[in-house]
Amino acid sequence: LPIMAFGLHQSRPGYNSVDYLKSIVENYNKNNFTLSGIWQDYNYMEKRTPFTVNSTEFSSEAIESINELKEKYKFKYIPVIEEGIKAMDYTPFDEGKRMEVFVKESGQDESLTV
């Protein structure tokens, strides 16, 4: 097991901006808790769509500030990836259909969707 598996982790939905996420990390430090990892739930995604980023609240510059905090406080930042691909017009879905990688019912041509 990685050593971080034994440490203190924080995870919950609702980290809607990098500033809020930074305040969580800063509060751990201010209260003398050593944070080993923070798990970012779906809030960083654009409309909860996997493999996308809400560039308003999680711009490249904002993400860079998380990297600076990681260096300063020595914690891991883990963005959670949703388990499904939305059946809509976007590259992961289009490529998956083209490559026929989605699960299908026996004898069916169409992929299963939930």
Side-chain angles (χ1 to χ4, degrees):
L1 283 174
I3 192 73
M4 71 172 261
F6 297 107
L8 179 64
H9 292 254
Q10 173 69 31
S11 176
R12 71 176 200 85
Y15 302 138
N16 295 320
S17 70
V18 168
D19 287 337
Y20 183 56
L21 191 67
K22 287 168 54 176
S23 73
I24 300 295
V25 172
E26 293 285 357
N27 279 329
Y28 268 90
N29 185 62
K30 183 175 80 177
N31 290 293
N32 297 315
F33 287 105
T34 301
L35 185 63
S36 296
I38 192 158
W39 296 72
Q40 172 73 54
D41 207 347
Y42 57 82
N43 298 99
Y44 72 91
M45 297 178 197
E46 185 68 41
K47 299 178 185 172
R48 287 188 76 168
T49 304
F51 308 110
T52 64
V53 175
N54 171 346
S55 58
T56 303
E57 296 297 335
F58 294 89
S59 66
S60 296
E61 295 81 18
I63 296 294
E64 186 57 38
S65 69
I66 292 176
N67 289 333
E68 291 168 7
L69 276 182
K70 284 173 41 184
E71 303 243 344
K72 182 177 179 181
Y73 296 122
K74 308 295 183 214
F75 70 95
K76 303 290 185 192
Y77 172 70
I78 306 101
V80 175
I81 298 174
E82 296 282 320
E83 69 282 353
I85 301 294
K86 289 188 176 187
M88 58 185 266
D89 184 28
Y90 87 116
T91 303
F93 180 70
D94 296 339
E95 287 294 304
K97 277 194 78 151
R98 183 185 64 76
M99 296 168 57
E100 296 189 19
V101 297
F102 297 126
V103 175
K104 298 177 184 178
E105 275 192 60
S106 179
Q108 300 294 317
D109 290 334
E110 281 298 309
S111 302
L112 294 174
T113 57
V114 178

